[in-house]
Short mmCIF file of all heavy atoms in Angstrom, two decimals:
data_model
loop_
_atom_site.label_atom_id
_atom_site.label_comp_id
_atom_site.label_asym_id
_atom_site.label_seq_id
_atom_site.Cartn_x
_atom_site.Cartn_y
_atom_site.Cartn_z
N ALA A 35 -22.44 15.82 20.83
CA ALA A 35 -21.98 16.78 19.82
C ALA A 35 -20.51 16.56 19.47
O ALA A 35 -20.12 16.61 18.30
CB ALA A 35 -22.22 18.21 20.32
N GLU A 36 -19.70 16.32 20.49
CA GLU A 36 -18.26 16.12 20.26
C GLU A 36 -17.99 14.77 19.60
O GLU A 36 -17.19 14.67 18.67
CB GLU A 36 -17.52 16.21 21.59
CG GLU A 36 -16.03 16.04 21.46
CD GLU A 36 -15.33 16.03 22.82
OE1 GLU A 36 -15.92 16.49 23.80
OE2 GLU A 36 -14.18 15.55 22.87
N ALA A 37 -18.66 13.74 20.06
CA ALA A 37 -18.38 12.38 19.57
C ALA A 37 -19.01 12.10 18.21
O ALA A 37 -18.51 11.26 17.46
CB ALA A 37 -18.88 11.36 20.59
N GLU A 38 -20.07 12.80 17.89
CA GLU A 38 -20.81 12.53 16.66
C GLU A 38 -19.97 12.74 15.41
O GLU A 38 -20.15 12.04 14.42
CB GLU A 38 -22.06 13.41 16.61
CG GLU A 38 -23.17 12.82 15.80
CD GLU A 38 -24.47 13.55 16.02
OE1 GLU A 38 -24.46 14.80 16.00
OE2 GLU A 38 -25.48 12.89 16.23
N GLU A 39 -19.05 13.65 15.43
CA GLU A 39 -18.24 13.91 14.24
C GLU A 39 -17.35 12.71 13.90
O GLU A 39 -16.90 12.57 12.77
CB GLU A 39 -17.41 15.18 14.40
CG GLU A 39 -16.27 15.07 15.39
CD GLU A 39 -15.47 16.35 15.51
OE1 GLU A 39 -15.96 17.28 16.20
OE2 GLU A 39 -14.39 16.43 14.92
N PHE A 40 -17.09 11.82 14.87
CA PHE A 40 -16.27 10.64 14.63
C PHE A 40 -17.10 9.44 14.19
O PHE A 40 -16.59 8.49 13.64
CB PHE A 40 -15.48 10.26 15.90
CG PHE A 40 -14.46 11.29 16.27
CD1 PHE A 40 -14.76 12.31 17.14
CD2 PHE A 40 -13.18 11.23 15.73
CE1 PHE A 40 -13.82 13.26 17.47
CE2 PHE A 40 -12.23 12.17 16.06
CZ PHE A 40 -12.55 13.20 16.93
N GLY A 41 -18.40 9.47 14.52
CA GLY A 41 -19.27 8.35 14.18
C GLY A 41 -19.22 7.23 15.20
O GLY A 41 -20.05 6.33 15.18
N ILE A 42 -18.24 7.28 16.07
CA ILE A 42 -18.10 6.24 17.08
C ILE A 42 -17.26 6.81 18.22
O ILE A 42 -16.45 7.71 18.02
CB ILE A 42 -17.42 4.97 16.49
CG1 ILE A 42 -17.49 3.80 17.46
CG2 ILE A 42 -15.99 5.27 16.06
CD1 ILE A 42 -17.06 2.48 16.84
N CYS A 43 -17.47 6.28 19.40
CA CYS A 43 -16.62 6.65 20.53
C CYS A 43 -16.63 5.50 21.52
O CYS A 43 -17.41 4.56 21.40
CB CYS A 43 -17.11 7.94 21.20
SG CYS A 43 -18.60 7.75 22.18
N ARG A 44 -15.75 5.59 22.48
CA ARG A 44 -15.68 4.58 23.53
C ARG A 44 -15.88 5.27 24.87
O ARG A 44 -15.25 6.29 25.14
CB ARG A 44 -14.32 3.88 23.51
CG ARG A 44 -14.18 2.82 24.56
CD ARG A 44 -12.87 2.10 24.43
NE ARG A 44 -12.71 1.19 25.53
CZ ARG A 44 -11.57 0.75 25.98
NH1 ARG A 44 -10.46 1.12 25.39
NH2 ARG A 44 -11.51 -0.07 27.00
N ILE A 45 -16.76 4.69 25.67
CA ILE A 45 -17.00 5.22 27.01
C ILE A 45 -16.57 4.16 28.00
O ILE A 45 -17.10 3.05 28.00
CB ILE A 45 -18.48 5.58 27.22
CG1 ILE A 45 -18.93 6.62 26.19
CG2 ILE A 45 -18.71 6.08 28.64
CD1 ILE A 45 -20.41 6.90 26.20
N VAL A 46 -15.61 4.50 28.83
CA VAL A 46 -15.14 3.59 29.88
C VAL A 46 -15.83 4.01 31.17
O VAL A 46 -15.51 5.06 31.73
CB VAL A 46 -13.61 3.65 30.03
CG1 VAL A 46 -13.15 2.68 31.12
CG2 VAL A 46 -12.93 3.35 28.71
N PRO A 47 -16.80 3.22 31.63
CA PRO A 47 -17.53 3.63 32.83
C PRO A 47 -16.64 3.54 34.07
O PRO A 47 -15.62 2.85 34.07
CB PRO A 47 -18.67 2.62 32.92
CG PRO A 47 -18.23 1.45 32.14
CD PRO A 47 -17.26 1.95 31.11
N PRO A 48 -17.02 4.24 35.13
CA PRO A 48 -16.25 4.14 36.38
C PRO A 48 -16.23 2.69 36.87
O PRO A 48 -17.15 1.92 36.60
CB PRO A 48 -17.03 5.03 37.36
CG PRO A 48 -17.94 5.85 36.53
CD PRO A 48 -18.15 5.14 35.25
N SER A 49 -15.19 2.33 37.57
CA SER A 49 -15.05 0.94 38.03
C SER A 49 -16.18 0.51 38.96
O SER A 49 -16.50 -0.68 39.05
CB SER A 49 -13.70 0.74 38.71
OG SER A 49 -13.59 1.62 39.81
N SER A 50 -16.83 1.44 39.61
CA SER A 50 -17.93 1.10 40.53
C SER A 50 -19.25 0.85 39.80
O SER A 50 -20.20 0.36 40.40
CB SER A 50 -18.12 2.23 41.55
OG SER A 50 -18.50 3.42 40.87
N PHE A 51 -19.31 1.16 38.51
CA PHE A 51 -20.56 1.04 37.75
C PHE A 51 -20.89 -0.43 37.49
O PHE A 51 -20.05 -1.19 37.03
CB PHE A 51 -20.46 1.79 36.42
CG PHE A 51 -21.70 1.70 35.59
CD1 PHE A 51 -22.84 2.40 35.94
CD2 PHE A 51 -21.74 0.90 34.46
CE1 PHE A 51 -23.99 2.32 35.17
CE2 PHE A 51 -22.88 0.81 33.69
CZ PHE A 51 -24.01 1.52 34.04
N LYS A 52 -22.09 -0.83 37.81
CA LYS A 52 -22.59 -2.18 37.55
C LYS A 52 -23.75 -2.06 36.57
O LYS A 52 -24.66 -1.27 36.79
CB LYS A 52 -23.07 -2.86 38.83
CG LYS A 52 -21.99 -3.03 39.88
CD LYS A 52 -21.00 -4.07 39.45
CE LYS A 52 -20.00 -4.30 40.55
NZ LYS A 52 -18.64 -4.17 40.12
N VAL A 53 -23.73 -2.86 35.54
CA VAL A 53 -24.79 -2.83 34.54
C VAL A 53 -26.06 -3.41 35.16
O VAL A 53 -26.05 -4.53 35.66
CB VAL A 53 -24.40 -3.64 33.30
CG1 VAL A 53 -25.52 -3.67 32.28
CG2 VAL A 53 -23.13 -3.10 32.69
N PRO A 54 -27.14 -2.64 35.15
CA PRO A 54 -28.39 -3.20 35.67
C PRO A 54 -28.92 -4.25 34.70
O PRO A 54 -29.05 -4.01 33.50
CB PRO A 54 -29.33 -1.98 35.73
CG PRO A 54 -28.75 -0.99 34.80
CD PRO A 54 -27.29 -1.26 34.72
N PHE A 55 -29.19 -5.43 35.23
CA PHE A 55 -29.64 -6.55 34.41
C PHE A 55 -30.80 -7.19 35.12
O PHE A 55 -30.65 -7.72 36.22
CB PHE A 55 -28.48 -7.53 34.21
CG PHE A 55 -28.71 -8.52 33.10
CD1 PHE A 55 -28.80 -8.09 31.79
CD2 PHE A 55 -28.82 -9.87 33.36
CE1 PHE A 55 -28.99 -8.98 30.76
CE2 PHE A 55 -29.01 -10.77 32.34
CZ PHE A 55 -29.09 -10.33 31.02
N ASN A 56 -31.97 -7.16 34.53
CA ASN A 56 -33.14 -7.66 35.23
C ASN A 56 -33.41 -9.14 34.99
O ASN A 56 -34.47 -9.65 35.30
CB ASN A 56 -34.39 -6.83 34.87
CG ASN A 56 -34.74 -6.93 33.41
OD1 ASN A 56 -34.06 -7.61 32.65
ND2 ASN A 56 -35.79 -6.25 33.01
N GLN A 57 -32.45 -9.85 34.43
CA GLN A 57 -32.56 -11.29 34.24
C GLN A 57 -31.50 -11.98 35.10
O GLN A 57 -30.48 -11.39 35.42
CB GLN A 57 -32.30 -11.65 32.77
CG GLN A 57 -33.27 -11.05 31.79
CD GLN A 57 -34.61 -11.73 31.83
OE1 GLN A 57 -34.72 -12.91 32.13
NE2 GLN A 57 -35.65 -10.97 31.57
N ASP A 58 -31.77 -13.22 35.44
CA ASP A 58 -30.78 -14.01 36.16
C ASP A 58 -29.74 -14.47 35.14
O ASP A 58 -30.05 -15.27 34.26
CB ASP A 58 -31.44 -15.21 36.82
CG ASP A 58 -30.46 -16.12 37.53
OD1 ASP A 58 -29.34 -15.66 37.83
OD2 ASP A 58 -30.80 -17.29 37.79
N PRO A 59 -28.51 -13.96 35.22
CA PRO A 59 -27.50 -14.30 34.21
C PRO A 59 -27.24 -15.80 34.10
O PRO A 59 -26.87 -16.29 33.04
CB PRO A 59 -26.25 -13.56 34.66
CG PRO A 59 -26.72 -12.51 35.59
CD PRO A 59 -27.99 -13.02 36.20
N ALA A 60 -27.43 -16.54 35.18
CA ALA A 60 -27.16 -17.97 35.15
C ALA A 60 -28.19 -18.72 34.30
O ALA A 60 -27.87 -19.71 33.65
CB ALA A 60 -27.15 -18.53 36.56
N SER A 61 -29.43 -18.25 34.29
CA SER A 61 -30.48 -18.96 33.56
C SER A 61 -30.92 -18.24 32.29
O SER A 61 -31.78 -18.73 31.56
CB SER A 61 -31.69 -19.18 34.46
OG SER A 61 -32.26 -17.94 34.82
N PHE A 62 -30.35 -17.07 32.01
CA PHE A 62 -30.76 -16.30 30.85
C PHE A 62 -30.28 -16.96 29.57
O PHE A 62 -29.10 -17.27 29.43
CB PHE A 62 -30.21 -14.87 30.95
CG PHE A 62 -30.55 -14.02 29.76
CD1 PHE A 62 -31.84 -13.57 29.57
CD2 PHE A 62 -29.59 -13.68 28.83
CE1 PHE A 62 -32.17 -12.77 28.47
CE2 PHE A 62 -29.89 -12.89 27.74
CZ PHE A 62 -31.19 -12.44 27.57
N ALA A 63 -31.19 -17.21 28.66
CA ALA A 63 -30.85 -17.78 27.36
C ALA A 63 -31.95 -17.41 26.38
O ALA A 63 -33.07 -17.10 26.78
CB ALA A 63 -30.73 -19.30 27.46
N PHE A 64 -31.63 -17.42 25.13
CA PHE A 64 -32.63 -17.21 24.10
C PHE A 64 -32.29 -18.10 22.92
O PHE A 64 -31.14 -18.45 22.70
CB PHE A 64 -32.73 -15.75 23.68
CG PHE A 64 -31.44 -15.15 23.21
CD1 PHE A 64 -31.08 -15.20 21.87
CD2 PHE A 64 -30.58 -14.54 24.11
CE1 PHE A 64 -29.88 -14.65 21.44
CE2 PHE A 64 -29.40 -13.98 23.68
CZ PHE A 64 -29.04 -14.05 22.34
N LYS A 65 -33.33 -18.49 22.20
CA LYS A 65 -33.14 -19.36 21.05
C LYS A 65 -32.75 -18.52 19.85
O LYS A 65 -33.32 -17.47 19.61
CB LYS A 65 -34.42 -20.13 20.74
CG LYS A 65 -34.76 -21.17 21.76
CD LYS A 65 -35.98 -21.95 21.34
CE LYS A 65 -36.28 -23.02 22.36
NZ LYS A 65 -37.42 -23.84 21.98
N THR A 66 -31.79 -19.01 19.12
CA THR A 66 -31.40 -18.35 17.88
C THR A 66 -31.97 -19.16 16.73
O THR A 66 -32.31 -20.33 16.89
CB THR A 66 -29.88 -18.26 17.73
OG1 THR A 66 -29.35 -19.59 17.76
CG2 THR A 66 -29.28 -17.43 18.83
N ARG A 67 -32.11 -18.52 15.61
CA ARG A 67 -32.57 -19.23 14.43
C ARG A 67 -31.96 -18.60 13.20
O ARG A 67 -31.61 -17.42 13.19
CB ARG A 67 -34.09 -19.24 14.33
CG ARG A 67 -34.69 -17.88 14.11
CD ARG A 67 -36.21 -17.97 14.08
NE ARG A 67 -36.76 -16.66 13.92
CZ ARG A 67 -37.73 -16.37 13.11
NH1 ARG A 67 -38.28 -17.30 12.38
NH2 ARG A 67 -38.19 -15.15 13.01
N VAL A 68 -31.84 -19.39 12.18
CA VAL A 68 -31.35 -18.89 10.92
C VAL A 68 -32.53 -18.22 10.23
O VAL A 68 -33.60 -18.80 10.10
CB VAL A 68 -30.80 -20.03 10.04
CG1 VAL A 68 -30.42 -19.52 8.66
CG2 VAL A 68 -29.62 -20.68 10.73
N GLN A 69 -32.35 -16.99 9.83
CA GLN A 69 -33.41 -16.26 9.15
C GLN A 69 -32.81 -15.60 7.92
O GLN A 69 -31.94 -14.74 8.03
CB GLN A 69 -34.02 -15.21 10.08
CG GLN A 69 -35.23 -14.54 9.49
CD GLN A 69 -35.91 -13.63 10.49
OE1 GLN A 69 -35.36 -13.33 11.54
NE2 GLN A 69 -37.09 -13.19 10.16
#
Side-chain angles (χ1 to χ4, degrees):
E36 181 184 342
E38 207 167 46
E39 71 180 78
F40 293 92
I42 190 170
C43 74
R44 180 176 174 204
I45 301 172
V46 180
S49 59
S50 63
F51 180 73
K52 299 289 184 234
V53 177
F55 195 65
N56 63 0
Q57 299 286 330
D58 177 20
S61 64
F62 178 72
F64 56 90
K65 290 184 178 182
T66 59
R67 65 182 178 136
V68 175
Q69 187 173 12

